Amino acid sequence: MKIDFTHHQAAHCENGVVSNLMKYNGFDISEPMVFGIGSGLLFCYIPFLKVNHAPAVTYRVMPGQIFKKFTTSVGVKIKKEKFKNPKAAQERLDENLKKNNPVGLQVGVFNLTYFPDEYRFHFNAHNLVVYGKEDGTYLISDPVMQTVSTLTEKELEKVRFAKGPFAPNGHLYYPIAFPESFDLALAIKKGIRDTCKTMLAPIPIVGVRGMRYLAKLIRKWPLKKGVKVANHYLGQVVRMQEEIGTGGGGFRYIFAAFLQEASEVLSNPKLMDLSKEMTEIGDMWRDFALEASRIYKNRSSKPDAYNQVADQLVVLANLEEAFFKELKKAI
Amino acid sequence: MKKSEVPQDKSNLESANFKELCYAVDENGKYTTENSTGWIPKTIALDNAIQEIEERTRAAKERAVQGLSSPIEYYMELNKMDLSILASYVGSFRWQVKRHFKPTVFKKLSANKLQKYADAFDITVEELQNIKHED
C-alpha cells in the first residue's frame, strides 16, 4: 500500500519530518517555522562529549527537543512508542501503514543505504517518514533527500535498532490529535523568548558565552595539542556548523527565514529588520568557516592564524549578544 | 547569503547524486531555498576526518598483524565505531571490550561472544579471526 504523502526536502531531518507530517495533515507549517517555534537555535560547546575523537560543538538543541517543544507549544498530541523486540516494532509499523497512517521513525545513519558513504557515521538521531510498503519494501520519505527512497524490511530493522548513544530502539511516532485552532502568534513569541534566553544564558559553555569560551580554547589548541590535533578539532567545528542539516551558517539562515515569516504573522516590521541582521551574522559564520578551512587545508599551525579565527568568533559572540538582547525587546 | 551565492562546489555528495538544501535570500530579500552540490571548506573538513579514520584503521591493522592487538580493534575502526558504540552493540562494558583488544584474551573468547562481535561488524567469525593481510 502507498499513502498519498507529499515529500518536501528540508535542510534538517527533525524539522523536516514535523513539517512534512503537519502538511500531510492539512497544516501548512514550513521548516523554519518548526525550527523557530521549537527553539532550535543554540550554540553549545560540550567538553565532556567527544565526537570522532574531537570535542563536540553544536549549533542546535539536543535531538528530539525541537519536536517536543513544537508539538507541546502548538498543542499537537503525539503518540510515541519504543520497542525491545524488532518484530513487534515492525508489526506496529505495518499496522499503521495499513490504516493509511504515515509514521515518523528515529533511525541510525550508519546503515542507511541511500546515504553517500562518507556521511554514514554512527549518528542515531536521524528522522524519516515511512509512507507505504510495496512487495516487502518500505517507501521512505527522508527529509534531507531530494526525492523519496526505499528500504527493505531487513535494512529498516537495522537502522531502527542501531546501537550506541541516542539508540532509537525502534522509536516510532505520529500525531493523533490537533487543536481546533492554532495560536501561532503565541507559539512564535514563546519560541523566540526561549531562544533568547538560552543564547544569553549565564552558563559558560552555552550561547554567546560558549562562543567566547571556545574562542579561548582555539587560541591554545596549536600549542597545547599540536598541529594535527588542532587542525582536526577546527575541522570538526566547521563540520558541525555547515554539514547537511544546518541549511548553512550553523542554522542561522533558517532562523533568519523564521524571523521573516514571524514578522508577517505578528505584523511586526522590527522582526524583518532583525531577520536581515541575522542573515548578515550567518554570512559572518560562513566567513569564519572559510577562514578556518584555510588553516586546516594548509595543515598550518601558526598561532596567528588560530588567533585570527578566534577573534572572528569573539566578534560573532558580541554581535549575537547584541542581537538577542534586541530580539527579546522586539516581541 | 544570496540565492545566487549558494556554493555549487564539487563534493562527496555527487557519489549519491544528491544535493542538500540551503536557505538563502532572493533578489527581493525574501527567504527561499536553493540546492547546493557542496562547499569546498566543508568538503576539506570531511575529507580530513575520513583520512583520520583511515589512518587509525591502518594503524590498528598493523598492530593486529603484528600480534599487538586483536582484530576487534581493527574492525572497530574500520566500522567508524568507538568503544562505547561497539560496547553497546555487543552488550558488554567498555572496559570489557578494551580487554578483548588483548590478543591473549581474544583467543579465549567464547563462540557466543565472537558471534556477537562478528554480527556487530557484519562479517563471519572466520573473517573476524583471520584479518586479510593484503592491501
Side-chain angles (χ1 to χ4, degrees):
Chain A
M1 74 238 84
K2 184 175 171 183
I3 302 166
D4 188 19
F5 182 87
T6 321
H7 172 85
H8 302 270
Q9 192 187 10
H12 190 258
C13 65
E14 194 174 329
N15 311 328
V17 163
V18 178
S19 166
N20 282 344
L21 283 175
M22 290 300 284
K23 280 177 183 157
Y24 172 78
N25 285 288
F27 301 95
D28 192 15
I29 303 274
S30 70
E31 176 185 14
M33 207 40 126
V34 174
F35 184 73
I37 292 177
S39 301
L41 197 76
L42 183 70
F43 182 90
C44 187
Y45 165 73
I46 315 169
F48 43 84
L49 183 71
K50 288 260 161 102
V51 176
N52 189 25
H53 304 267
V57 173
T58 177
Y59 292 79
R60 46 152 292 158
V61 294
M62 284 259 289
Q65 286 301 308
I66 298 177
F67 183 82
K68 204 166 150 192
K69 189 85 186 287
F70 175 84
T71 49
T72 42
S73 210
V74 298
V76 177
K77 281 212 179 71
I78 300 285
K79 170 95 174 160
K80 291 181 197 168
E81 282 181 279
K82 286 194 177 188
F83 303 86
K84 281 216 169 103
N85 180 349
K87 251 215 177 89
Q90 191 189 326
E91 275 164 19
R92 190 57 51 85
L93 173 62
D94 291 349
E95 269 167 40
N96 274 295
L97 295 175
K98 253 183 216 134
K99 280 188 282 187
N100 257 328
N101 186 22
V103 296
L105 292 183
Q106 185 195 334
V107 297
V109 170
F110 189 68
N111 284 306
L112 272 185
T113 43
Y114 54 77
F115 253 44
D117 270 352
E118 293 86 350
Y119 285 90
R120 286 165 59 182
F121 288 96
H122 292 273
F123 172 68
N124 286 332
H126 186 62
N127 291 275
L128 49 79
V129 172
V130 184
Y131 69 99
K133 189 179 187 182
E134 279 171 348
D135 308 323
T137 306
Y138 288 102
L139 308 177
I140 308 287
S141 157
D142 187 322
V144 306
M145 305 297 287
Q146 280 172 289
T147 53
V148 290
S149 334
T150 56
L151 286 175
T152 64
E153 281 183 359
K154 212 179 151 213
E155 285 166 344
L156 189 65
E157 183 182 310
K158 227 172 173 177
V159 295
R160 290 182 78 188
F161 285 89
K163 299 270 168 52
F166 298 115
N169 293 315
H171 189 186
L172 168 158
Y173 53 86
Y174 51 91
I176 42 171
F178 296 91
E180 275 175 23
S181 68
F182 277 149
D183 194 346
L184 213 51
L186 200 74
I188 290 172
K189 282 185 191 165
K190 186 166 172 15
I192 292 180
R193 241 179 252 129
D194 286 358
T195 300
C196 293
K197 212 160 135 192
T198 42
M199 286 305 291
L200 300 170
I203 305 167
I205 55 167
V206 175
V208 295
R209 281 176 183 79
M211 293 177 207
R212 293 190 185 118
Y213 191 89
L214 180 66
K216 264 188 213 159
L217 292 177
I218 289 178
R219 292 179 207 280
K220 289 185 202 152
W221 281 347
L223 289 173
K224 217 174 147 191
K225 304 279 178 187
V227 192
K228 207 169 151 51
V229 175
N231 276 312
H232 178 56
Y233 281 11
L234 204 57
Q236 171 106 330
V237 173
V238 172
R239 283 182 57 215
M240 292 294 184
Q241 180 187 317
E242 296 295 337
E243 254 336 328
I244 304 178
T246 65
F251 295 94
R252 267 60 185 167
Y253 294 134
I254 298 187
F255 191 70
F258 159 69
L259 289 179
Q260 205 167 69
E261 251 187 84
S263 157
E264 278 163 32
V265 177
L266 302 175
S267 347
N268 182 344
K270 182 82 184 111
L271 292 184
M272 197 61 102
D273 297 336
L274 285 167
S275 163
K276 262 186 219 138
E277 232 176 89
M278 188 82 292
T279 307
E280 282 161 23
I281 291 176
D283 289 343
M284 290 182 67
W285 277 107
R286 298 282 279 191
D287 291 341
F288 166 77
L290 190 65
E291 218 40 66
S293 76
R294 293 211 173 103
I295 298 180
Y296 56 69
K297 185 183 169 194
N298 303 324
R299 314 210 179 251
S300 141
S301 67
K302 282 191 216 122
D304 272 4
Y306 277 83
N307 277 329
Q308 203 188 332
V309 288
D311 289 344
Q312 270 180 305
L313 199 53
V314 172
V315 171
L316 278 163
N318 294 341
L319 282 174
E320 291 206 349
E321 182 167 21
F323 175 89
F324 286 105
K325 277 183 179 158
E326 208 170 322
L327 180 60
K328 210 163 127 189
K329 273 188 252 159
I331 48 154
Chain B
M1 184 165 53
K2 293 201 182 73
K3 190 174 168 170
S4 55
E5 290 167 359
V6 171
Q8 305 294 346
D9 300 339
K10 217 170 137 60
S11 79
N12 327 62
L13 293 175
E14 213 174 26
S15 64
N17 198 13
F18 130 64
K19 293 177 186 172
E20 62 172 312
L21 197 72
C22 286
Y23 279 79
V25 287
D26 65 13
E27 53 277 14
N28 303 316
K30 210 169 158 27
Y31 258 95
T32 176
T33 57
E34 175 72 300
N35 281 114
S36 165
T37 53
W39 191 36
I40 289 170
K42 58 187 223 184
T43 307
I44 306 170
L46 180 62
D47 286 348
N48 285 355
I50 288 169
Q51 261 176 36
E52 278 268 335
I53 295 172
E54 283 170 356
E55 272 167 36
R56 277 204 304 274
T57 310
R58 253 199 311 275
K61 187 170 188 177
E62 193 68 14
R63 279 197 296 279
V65 170
Q66 290 173 0
L68 299 170
S69 171
S70 80
I72 290 175
E73 190 186 1
Y74 162 65
Y75 281 111
M76 177 184 85
E77 296 289 0
L78 187 67
N79 283 282
K80 299 183 195 160
M81 292 177 171
D82 61 21
L83 273 181
S84 61
I85 293 167
L86 180 55
S88 70
Y89 267 100
V90 297
S92 300
F93 293 107
R94 286 163 49 153
W95 62 267
Q96 289 174 308
V97 173
K98 210 167 176 178
R99 210 175 139 258
H100 299 161
F101 285 179
K102 287 186 186 164
T104 43
V105 179
F106 176 72
K107 271 189 203 116
K108 285 185 220 150
L109 281 183
S110 68
N112 191 5
K113 201 80 216 176
L114 283 173
Q115 190 59 52
K116 275 192 177 156
Y117 276 111
D119 289 345
F121 300 134
D122 212 0
I123 51 175
T124 62
V125 173
E126 176 111 286
E127 283 170 305
L128 177 65
Q129 285 168 323
N130 306 297
I131 59 171
K132 292 185 201 106
H133 287 230
E134 64 266 40
D135 75 56

